[in-house]
Amino acid sequence: MRRLLVALVALAGMVSLASPAAAAPRLKLPPPTGSHPVGSTDLHLTDASRKDPWVPSGPRELMVSMFYPALVPFGPKRPYLTSAEAKAFLTESGLPDVDPALLSGLRTSARVDAPPLPGKHALVVLSPGFGKPRTTLTGLAEELASKGFVVALIGHNHESHGTAFPDGHVTGCAACGSDSTLLPPIRSADVSFVLDTLTRPSSRWFRLIDRTRIGMAGHSIGGYSTPTAMVDDQRIRAGADLDGRLWSPIPASGIDRPFLLLGRESEYTPAGPDTTWAGSWPNLTGWKRWISVATAGHASFTDVGVLGEQLGLTKPGLLGGERGMRLTREYVSAFFDANLRGGHQPLLDGPVADNPEIKFWN
């Protein structure tokens, strides 16, 4: 993301020099492909039973973005970041001179507070990479919601640059620079708290969530945290790790529920530089798939790859941002459909001609 923003500064300068009237780059995410319009709302949750592990002077507070299939596409489109979040993120990244409007001006496909589609829906929890705003998984969240899932995209407080709360205060990344092995237990506790909150009878989400069909996926540290959350909380019936190194191996007791490993081919193959996936593979004892994506980068599984491509920042030979999002959406949604809703997904059976970048290692 830092490279993206540095180049964004340069690009903004080029636009300004070329013509005083030239418009700033306009960023957008590809619309979701499912049959349902998407609604979204933000939740401010406080876990009074826990002190915040990074700032222990107060309880653990979370901002959670909910995405869901909507009855109708009613309401304003969701802003990608607030101005305060964009400013804080840029400042903490050492880029205070970048206009925050370049990020806060982006509007997504989701409609704020649109009426939800009635019925019980499978729930997928998403956990972002370390230091990254939760919004970097918006493209995936909207895709899942358009296909009938309720999605809880968790902002793990003090673990990203710039998280705005309803009262206007914005927290930074107090955890940045910490040992990455400290994060999975904290994120696991966050996930369990969010599940408790969403599924209690008094919650407005209780009538929308099928508590027997809950999954989790994460990118980078979020992916690394998914097995920990599954070990700690049996309610999570299926999990996916998107390009996240498993610094702490999956315990020998194993995970007997479905699991997807989806990562870049340059890093995550049985003979590749990473050894953590191969080391943990035998301890995934349920249905499982190990899939690599040729020429993908770490950002290819998030919105960052898309935004970089639109700004002309894709490196030669690197998978295009929109192509990376398309593949991530296809395989993650197929995984959760097959393992939470029982749908047959031939895409998970092996390579297909339309996706030559994909290789199966199971």
Side-chain angles (χ1 to χ4, degrees):
M1 173 62 94
R2 182 179 176 86
R3 280 198 212 97
L4 167 63
L5 295 174
V6 169
L8 189 149
V9 175
L11 180 59
M14 290 169 60
V15 170
S16 176
L17 289 173
S19 170
R26 189 179 181 92
L27 307 180
K28 62 180 181 179
L29 296 178
T33 66
S35 60
H36 300 291
V38 177
S40 181
T41 193
D42 284 338
L43 307 178
H44 174 201
L45 305 180
T46 300
D47 184 355
S49 70
R50 283 192 297 156
K51 287 188 175 181
D52 191 285
W54 308 113
V55 183
S57 57
R60 183 66 164 165
E61 295 183 80
L62 305 172
M63 288 300 298
V64 179
S65 295
M66 300 297 298
F67 295 83
Y68 52 88
L71 189 61
V72 291
F74 176 80
K77 289 192 171 183
R78 178 185 176 86
Y80 192 70
L81 289 170
T82 68
S83 295
E85 286 172 324
K87 182 177 180 180
F89 179 70
L90 292 167
T91 299
E92 292 295 330
S93 298
L95 300 166
D97 296 328
V98 177
D99 183 359
L102 288 170
L103 296 176
S104 63
L106 172 60
R107 294 295 180 268
T108 78
S109 295
R111 302 284 182 153
V112 177
D113 294 331
L117 184 71
K120 293 280 191 178
H121 309 283
L123 170 68
V124 176
V125 177
L126 296 181
S127 181
F130 196 23
K132 302 298 186 291
R134 66 188 185 278
T135 53
T136 55
L137 292 179
T138 296
L140 177 58
E142 292 188 336
E143 179 73 5
L144 290 167
S146 77
K147 293 182 175 178
F149 295 90
V150 172
V151 179
L153 178 46
I154 300 179
H156 303 276
N157 199 19
H158 302 297
E159 296 177 21
S160 70
H161 296 298
T163 299
F165 286 80
D167 65 1
H169 84 277
V170 180
T171 59
C173 191
C176 285
S178 301
D179 182 351
S180 63
T181 61
L182 299 175
L183 275 81
I186 295 169
R187 293 202 172 194
S188 174
D190 288 347
V191 169
S192 291
F193 167 66
V194 169
L195 293 182
D196 290 344
T197 302
L198 297 178
T199 60
R200 65 168 58 111
S202 59
S203 168
R204 60 172 285 202
W205 303 97
F206 180 80
R207 61 187 174 85
L208 293 174
I209 292 171
D210 183 342
R211 291 174 293 164
T212 68
R213 297 184 295 166
I214 296 175
M216 178 179 172
H219 174 250
S220 193
I221 286 288
Y224 167 31
S225 301
T226 298
T228 301
M230 292 182 73
V231 170
D232 293 343
D233 197 322
Q234 294 292 313
R235 290 175 294 183
I236 304 172
R237 304 305 306 163
D241 176 0
L242 311 181
D243 215 60
R245 186 163 294 184
L246 299 172
W247 295 103
S248 302
I250 293 171
S253 57
I255 295 175
D256 60 1
R257 285 150 284 159
F259 205 90
L260 171 67
L261 294 169
L262 179 66
R264 54 198 147 131
E265 185 179 334
S266 62
E267 190 78 15
Y268 297 105
T269 65
D274 171 72
T275 60
T276 65
W277 282 18
S280 290
W281 183 249
N283 294 336
L284 295 171
T285 60
W287 187 101
K288 59 186 177 181
R289 292 290 185 271
W290 178 343
I291 300 173
S292 66
V293 185
T295 72
H298 191 50
S300 297
F301 305 91
T302 74
D303 302 348
V304 176
V306 173
L307 302 180
E309 182 175 63
Q310 291 173 3
L311 291 166
L313 304 176
T314 303
K315 293 181 179 179
L318 191 67
L319 185 71
E322 292 205 17
R323 180 62 176 165
M325 176 170 285
R326 178 181 172 183
L327 292 172
T328 302
R329 285 173 158 183
E330 285 184 357
Y331 283 88
V332 174
S333 60
F335 169 76
F336 285 121
D337 184 65
N339 291 291
L340 294 181
R341 302 196 296 204
H344 178 229
Q345 290 289 342
L347 197 65
L348 300 174
D349 293 340
V352 296
D354 288 344
N355 296 336
E357 305 94 338
I358 296 294
K359 292 183 181 179
F360 283 70
W361 299 100
N362 53 293

